[in-house]
Amino acid sequence: MSIRAKLILIIVSILVVFDSAAGLIFYWQNNLAAPAQTLNLIVFWTLLIVLIIVTAVFYLFIGIVTKKISRLSVIARQIAGGRFDIKLEKGDIKAKDETAVLARTLKETSDRLSGLYKDMERKVQQKTKELSSSLKETKKNNDLLEENKKAMLNILEDVEAEKEAADKEREKINTIIHSIGDAVFVTDNNYKIILFNQVAADLSGHGMKEAIGKRYNQVMNFVKEENGNPDRKNDEFIVKAMKTVKVMEMSNHTVLISKTGKRIPVSDSAAPLKDKDGKVIGCVVVFRDVTKERQIDQMKSEFVSVASHQLRTPLTGIKWFVELLLGQKAGKLSKKQKDFLQQILISNERMIALVSDLLDVSHIETGKKFNIEKKEINPAEIFQQILTDNIALIQKKRIKIIRCRELIKGFKIFADADKIRQAFQNLLSNAVKYSRDGGRIELNCDRSNKNETIFSIKDSGFGIPENQQKRVFEKFFRGNNIVTKATDGTGLGLYITRAIVEAHGGKIWFESQENKGTAFHLSIPNK
Ligand code: ADP
């Protein structure tokens, strides 16, 4: 029963009791009969007792309700204070009046609030966690940033130091380059001048500022000194140095034509400029004015030329007269006399050969090209003739000669017969000279390329020591392994042979292994 119903019932009971009591009092006071008086007394007392009981019940009921409400209000205050672990008595919940509804509502509210609170707390914790981790992250980032900043500063300091060092180094290099007595210029890998010293400026007639940034061939006009011929550019040694990554010498007789048209004989080399990884980043060209050396060289060559010419005439005379004597045109000779004359003839032949070599050398030296008169010739015939000329030595040393089929059958090339004979003679006589007794010489040719014919002369002789191989084509070079074995050499044959081959537009090269043998190859263009 609801409280309101209970209260209404109590109030109605009280009203009934009061109404009855009022009725009784009124009846009693208006002289009621005696027996009726007794009855009324009983009723009165009954009503009074009922009134007392009702009042007591009312009092008790009010007490219970107030107690419940005050308990619930304590709980409500707890909830308001944020405590949700409230404990309700079973009776509070199970009662059937409004206090139970209130208690249940309070319980539900506290449960929900507790749920919400927990949820909120969880969220707050999560947010706090997120916040703290993001704070940590931010701190970490800040630290990282700080570290990066420091590192950057360090790098900047290093770069600054490196730059300073590089500047100093550049300054030093500049000072060195500008103090060098030779002309020096440096190009980048696009052949543009990046450094140009004063001597280079003086020789070329181009100012330093004018030269820097220009392609080297716009400033440096290197040409080949060829008497009577129009100037031909002669600066490929710079390109070659960069392409082959090797030091390239200027070819002989290079002349620099200055801005004013002055011709200055120059000499020296170009060297590739490499970075620390070995990559070519430019080229250093060093050259000097060799006017004086050229003049001295010229005088020397002219002397050799004149001396050779002067020597040739008496030597030819000696040869002629010795041959007459040997032919017994001036009377009969004894065997001994014949032998002596034979020796004179051989020595004279050697002198003639030497003089002729010296003349060739002086021609090469003075830049006067060989007079090459090309015509159709048969190399097989030339080889046959050379073999016949050298047959005495070949037989003496029991050397086996093997010729390829084409060098027996014959074919045509377009070359200067005398010069080619001289080149082949040099190579073949060397092969014989520097072979052991019983050795073997192979003569081959390769005509697979339609533009050129390659001839090879291969022997199984003494070979050329590896450490001397790069000097083979130098004037007067003689290998230290043969000087005692074959004394009659001048060291001029290969020098002249190379000049002959190059005058034909061909090339000469070789492979050699000491004590195993040597193979010389030369290519002659077909046209
Ligand atoms: P020469 O033979 O008169 O000494 P060359 O110019 O023809 O001069 O040769 C130069 C040097 O090269 C020789 O002295 C020799 O040391 C070496 N040489 C040339 N050809 C051969 C070869 N076929 N075998 C071994 N050494 C050789």
Side-chain angles (χ1 to χ4, degrees), residues 324-343:
L324 279 178
L325 284 174
L326 273 171
Q328 309 203 44
K329 303 277 185 221
K332 218 169 161 4
L333 298 171
S334 68
K335 188 170 178 304
K336 207 168 193 177
Q337 284 169 329
K338 268 189 192 169
D339 279 352
F340 287 169
L341 282 172
Q342 200 65 47
Q343 288 305 321

Side-chain angles (χ1 to χ4, degrees), residues 455-510:
F455 297 93
S456 301
I457 293 114
K458 187 178 170 192
D459 65 60
S460 56
F462 305 126
I464 303 164
E466 204 186 325
N467 61 352
Q468 295 194 307
Q469 288 186 2
K470 61 174 185 296
R471 295 186 47 217
V472 159
F473 295 105
E474 280 176 16
K475 259 185 307 183
F476 304 114
F477 166 76
R478 301 213 69 212
N480 57 12
N481 60 330
I482 54 88
V483 273
T484 50
K485 292 181 186 116
T487 45
D488 61 332
T490 59
L492 294 174
L494 290 178
Y495 179 78
I496 296 166
T497 304
R498 182 170 72 171
I500 292 172
V501 173
E502 285 176 357
H504 276 85
K507 278 194 189 112
I508 181 164
W509 67 100
F510 70 96

Side-chain angles (χ1 to χ4, degrees), residues 170 173-174 176-178 180 182-198 200-201 208 211-217 219-220 222 238 242 269-275 280-287:
R170 193 179 310 129
I173 291 170
N174 268 342
I176 294 169
I177 283 178
H178 289 294
I180 291 176
D182 288 349
V184 180
F185 69 90
V186 181
T187 72
D188 63 13
N189 52 4
N190 292 318
Y191 305 104
K192 286 201 173 135
I193 296 173
I194 53 172
L195 251 170
F196 200 74
N197 79 350
Q198 191 52 50
M208 258 185 279
I212 302 278
K214 286 208 180 114
R215 254 184 93 92
Y216 77 90
N217 50 6
V219 178
M220 308 307 285
F222 293 115
I238 297 173
M242 280 173 70
S269 57
L273 194 65
K274 291 184 267 182
D275 66 10
V280 176
I281 51 166
C283 188
V284 184
V285 184
V286 182
F287 62 95

Side-chain angles (χ1 to χ4, degrees), residues 120-136:
M120 211 167 78
E121 216 166 44
R122 195 175 42 76
K123 280 186 180 160
V124 166
Q125 268 177 7
Q126 195 181 329
K127 278 280 162 208
T128 316
K129 215 165 140 189
E130 278 174 20
L131 226 89
S132 83
S133 76
S134 97
L135 262 170
K136 265 188 208 157

Side-chain angles (χ1 to χ4, degrees), residues 409-448:
K409 211 175 76 186
F411 60 94
K412 296 272 187 265
I413 60 165
F414 205 61
D416 185 307
D418 288 342
K419 298 292 169 212
I420 283 294
R421 180 180 298 112
Q422 192 180 348
F424 288 163
Q425 159 68 31
N426 275 334
L427 297 176
L428 190 62
S429 66
N430 277 351
V432 176
K433 245 193 319 189
Y434 305 123
S435 276
R436 289 188 190 82
D437 289 356
R440 166 194 170 103
I441 295 171
E442 287 174 39
L443 305 175
N444 283 309
C445 64
D446 176 358
R447 299 174 69 208
S448 55

Side-chain angles (χ1 to χ4, degrees), residues 52-99:
I52 290 165
I53 290 166
V54 167
T55 310
V57 168
F58 183 73
Y59 181 78
L60 266 172
F61 174 73
I62 291 293
I64 290 165
V65 169
T66 322
K67 213 172 161 186
K68 259 192 199 172
I69 287 176
S70 76
R71 209 167 48 237
L72 290 176
S73 73
V74 168
I75 288 169
R77 269 204 299 281
Q78 274 181 8
I79 293 170
R83 276 190 56 200
F84 304 115
D85 55 337
I86 54 159
K87 278 197 184 90
L88 288 169
E89 286 173 18
K90 259 188 193 163
D92 289 344
I93 298 166
K94 287 208 174 142
K96 290 199 168 82
D97 56 17
E98 283 85 348
T99 55

